[in-house]
Amino acid sequence: MAASWAEQLQRELAGRGLAVASIPGKGRGLVAARTFFPGEVIICQEPYVSTPNKILVGSSCDHCFVSNNLRKCSVCRVTWYCSSDCQKKEWKQHQLECRAMAALPEDRNKMLTPTIRLMVRLILKRKLQNEKVIPSSGIDNYYLVDVLESHISEVDENQLILYAQMANLVNLILPSLELDLKEIAHTFSKFACNAHTICDPELRPLGTGLYPVISIINHSCVPNAVLIFDGRTAYVRALQPISKDEEVSISYIETAAVTKKRHNDLKQYFFACACPRCVKGFQEDALLESYRCKNQACDGFLLPESGEKAYTCQKCNISRDEEEVKKMTREILLLSDKASSFLSSGNTTEAGSIYKIIEQLEQNLYHAFSITLLHTRETLLKIYMELQDWQTALTYCRSTIPVYERVYPPFHPMIGLQFYTCGKLEWLLECTEDALKSLTRAADILKITHGTKSQFMKELFGKLEEARAEVSFRLSSGHNHGEQF
């Protein structure tokens, strides 16, 4: 049976111009059997199972993941739906889960974490497919989950104990089924390195899903494709031309980071990345984590001077005393603790004022492309968006874009989304020409990463048309004031 499912998968993928192949040093991988062009959908898949992140508070519909008009299932009082249509579509699968959750004592509902619930749904879907209550297909069957790598032999003892405890919880929720607890513990390990975070179009996490075919795609820190969700449907689109016989790759992690940080983030997947960026990472890492030259007119970065207590600019050879650098670093650290404390206690205005001081200090200490400085500016952007200080927010939004363009590939959703934020802020501030430029850049990138048909993209195109019409009107009526900051 396993062989026939494998053959069926290869047939279904061949129809989409793809093949599963053995990749040296990586195991299985997805390979193009034809050319794919930028923006083209390589593969799309519904989750084998999925669950929203915030189960008990009702953050999104269990079927389509929208967050409007939510109503709780009147029986289990755990699942939420946005419409009777979504509830009907889920009913065959939810029926058994509903009964099991309704039978749980009130205090046990708290053990229904997203991961536990994902497992319960996986077990029940497998049962329903085995009993032919719901259909299976070449890209939607339990065999695909079964062959996913668990790396169980590499998992540390504490994690194994946790998986065993979680398997026992699943057993408590589904007492009527005869469950193999060891197999369930192994499957939890598969979740850790194969499940995907389902995000909204602006890359905010909504839930978790298991997409077994998409899990075949390997990681690269310089990927040629991107994974984006529309609702809970996963779309993998080409970011650049992908030739016949070329491996398709996506990024599993946030790639705006130095090599050491990226490798640390990849540990949960049990492999060391050997992509071109990781192999030749020194020059880029030096830039992303380095101190700036003391000479304000120089754009060089500092390197530690061997045997000396100083850092020397690789461009103009001016030195910076190590003690001076340490003193500034300590000052930033103290202020950062203070700012974080204000932020977590809800004092956003005070936090913003301190982060502004931090940003000034970091500008004097770090190189313009520093990831540390970038993160501070991202925090300031969020703070001033929340405070509705659009002018200040725009200043910080604009300051992040050159770094994004440095650390991400040209067609990366993060660059497109940042231009979109810029465009919306410029529109609010009536900087219409600037808004048109930013929204155009956003649309050029996001139509590659997000496609053109989603509600999110229709809204972007609508804003772009509005800005275009306004600029055209101003030009024709002689009201072009050449807005500037």
Side-chain angles (χ1 to χ4, degrees):
M1 189 63 187
S4 68
W5 279 128
E7 286 161 13
Q8 203 172 326
L9 172 65
Q10 287 284 30
R11 275 199 305 274
E12 290 218 19
L13 289 175
R16 299 166 190 232
L18 296 164
V20 178
S22 182
I23 311 291
K26 293 183 183 179
R28 292 189 309 163
L30 201 64
V31 171
R34 65 170 178 85
T35 302
F36 286 92
F37 296 99
E40 195 175 348
V41 175
I42 296 167
I43 190 164
C44 71
Q45 190 182 19
E46 293 297 322
Y48 186 74
V49 282
S50 65
T51 179
N53 275 344
K54 295 171 184 171
I55 296 165
L56 299 173
V57 296
S59 60
S60 51
C61 171
D62 261 59
H63 180 71
C64 70
F65 273 57
V66 303
S67 53
N68 315 338
N69 308 318
L70 298 179
R71 289 190 179 179
K72 215 183 253 190
C73 169
S74 57
V75 181
C76 68
R77 306 202 60 75
V78 173
T79 305
W80 298 75
Y81 296 107
C82 68
S83 65
S84 55
D85 188 44
C86 277
Q87 191 168 15
K88 279 174 195 164
K89 284 175 182 169
E90 283 285 301
W91 181 240
K92 280 183 182 175
Q93 290 181 63
H94 179 57
Q95 198 173 3
L96 297 177
E97 179 194 38
C98 187
R99 211 175 297 150
M101 292 192 301
L104 286 174
E106 190 73 30
D107 60 325
R108 287 235 171 119
N109 267 350
K110 287 175 186 159
M111 68 189 190
L112 287 169
T113 63
T115 312
I116 295 287
R117 193 149 174 234
L118 202 64
M119 182 62 75
V120 168
R121 291 183 158 190
L122 182 81
I123 292 163
L124 295 175
K125 181 163 182 180
R126 180 189 191 179
K127 173 182 160 62
L128 291 167
Q129 283 187 328
N130 285 344
E131 292 168 358
K132 308 252 186 308
V133 175
I134 56 173
S136 302
S137 74
I139 59 167
D140 186 60
N141 62 78
Y142 189 78
Y143 160 76
L144 296 173
V145 178
D146 207 30
V147 295
L148 290 174
E149 186 59 70
S150 71
H151 295 283
I152 199 80
S153 60
E154 298 163 79
V155 173
D156 71 53
E157 199 175 333
N158 289 338
Q159 197 62 41
L160 288 174
I161 291 166
L162 181 62
Y163 289 153
Q165 289 168 340
M166 289 162 76
N168 279 316
L169 285 179
V170 173
N171 204 27
L172 284 172
I173 296 164
L174 300 171
S176 62
L177 301 181
E178 282 186 35
L179 301 177
D180 181 338
L181 297 189
K182 190 178 177 184
E183 185 191 358
I184 291 172
H186 275 235
T187 309
F188 275 126
S189 190
K190 287 180 183 181
F191 284 178
C193 45
N194 289 286
H196 286 93
T197 301
I198 299 168
C199 295
D200 72 4
E202 296 183 65
L203 307 186
R204 293 175 295 223
L206 296 174
T208 307
L210 196 61
Y211 298 83
V213 180
I214 287 171
S215 290
I216 297 168
I217 302 172
N218 287 314
H219 164 85
S220 172
C221 299
V222 277
N224 56 18
V226 66
L227 171 62
I228 295 287
F229 297 88
D230 186 6
R232 62 176 191 175
T233 308
Y235 290 87
V236 176
R237 289 187 177 88
L239 289 176
Q240 61 195 53
I242 299 173
S243 308
K244 185 178 184 292
D245 298 327
E246 189 179 342
E247 186 188 2
V248 176
S249 61
I250 58 174
S251 177
Y252 294 179
I253 55 163
E254 169 56 81
T255 54
V258 295
T259 308
K260 187 180 176 183
K261 170 80 167 70
R262 296 198 310 274
H263 281 201
N264 197 49
D265 291 346
L266 286 167
K267 277 181 183 172
Q268 73 176 89
Y269 302 103
F270 301 98
F271 70 87
C273 184
C275 74
R277 189 175 169 200
C278 288
V279 172
K280 301 172 183 173
F282 170 73
Q283 183 79 12
E284 185 195 57
D285 287 355
L287 202 61
L288 299 184
E289 64 182 353
S290 68
Y291 302 119
R292 66 163 300 145
C293 181
K294 204 170 183 176
N295 175 7
Q296 297 290 319
C298 176
D299 64 353
F301 58 86
L302 305 185
L303 295 169
E305 192 69 61
S306 57
E308 300 287 329
K309 290 194 172 181
Y311 294 90
T312 303
C313 177
Q314 42 68 249
K315 200 168 187 180
C316 70
N317 290 325
I318 291 177
S319 289
R320 199 165 191 174
D321 183 57
E322 187 184 45
E323 204 45 56
E324 178 201 345
V325 169
K326 281 182 177 175
K327 187 185 171 191
M328 288 179 78
T329 307
R330 281 196 297 271
E331 191 180 349
I332 289 167
L333 209 58
L334 283 168
L335 284 168
S336 295
D337 288 344
K338 201 173 172 183
S340 295
S341 173
F342 277 124
L343 208 52
S344 54
S345 64
N347 194 338
T348 316
T349 307
E350 200 58 47
S353 300
I354 297 170
Y355 273 118
K356 274 185 169 181
I357 298 165
I358 293 168
E359 194 256 357
Q360 287 298 313
L361 288 168
E362 286 179 349
Q363 270 197 73
N364 290 326
L365 179 62
Y366 293 109
H367 193 275
F369 291 121
S370 155
I371 292 293
T372 306
L373 179 56
L374 173 69
H375 291 331
T376 300
R377 287 171 170 169
E378 287 172 334
T379 304
L380 280 160
L381 170 59
K382 279 179 195 162
I383 286 170
Y384 286 99
M385 288 286 277
E386 195 180 315
L387 293 170
Q388 297 188 5
D389 179 344
W390 310 130
Q391 185 67 68
T392 308
L394 178 59
T395 302
Y396 290 117
C397 190
R398 284 174 169 173
S399 71
T400 63
I401 287 176
V403 192
Y404 278 27
E405 291 179 317
R406 175 89 197 194
V407 295
Y408 292 121
F411 291 100
H412 192 283
M414 287 294 285
I415 304 174
L417 290 169
Q418 209 71 342
F419 272 116
Y420 194 10
T421 302
C422 254
K424 286 188 280 189
L425 288 166
E426 286 157 349
W427 181 257
L428 275 168
L429 292 162
E430 298 185 3
C431 305
T432 318
E433 287 188 25
D434 290 330
L436 178 59
K437 286 174 193 167
S438 296
L439 292 171
T440 302
R441 289 291 307 275
D444 287 346
I445 294 167
L446 296 176
K447 69 185 178 189
I448 298 289
T449 61
H450 288 58
T452 56
K453 293 175 184 172
S454 68
Q455 189 55 39
F456 171 77
M457 288 304 293
K458 283 174 186 168
E459 284 168 17
L460 168 53
F461 292 140
K463 285 186 172 71
L464 182 57
E465 280 311 307
E466 207 178 337
R468 202 170 274 145
E470 179 67 20
V471 168
S472 183
F473 169 75
R474 288 187 177 207
L475 287 169
S476 63
S477 56
H479 290 147
N480 177 24
H481 300 304
E483 296 129 333
Q484 292 177 347
F485 278 99

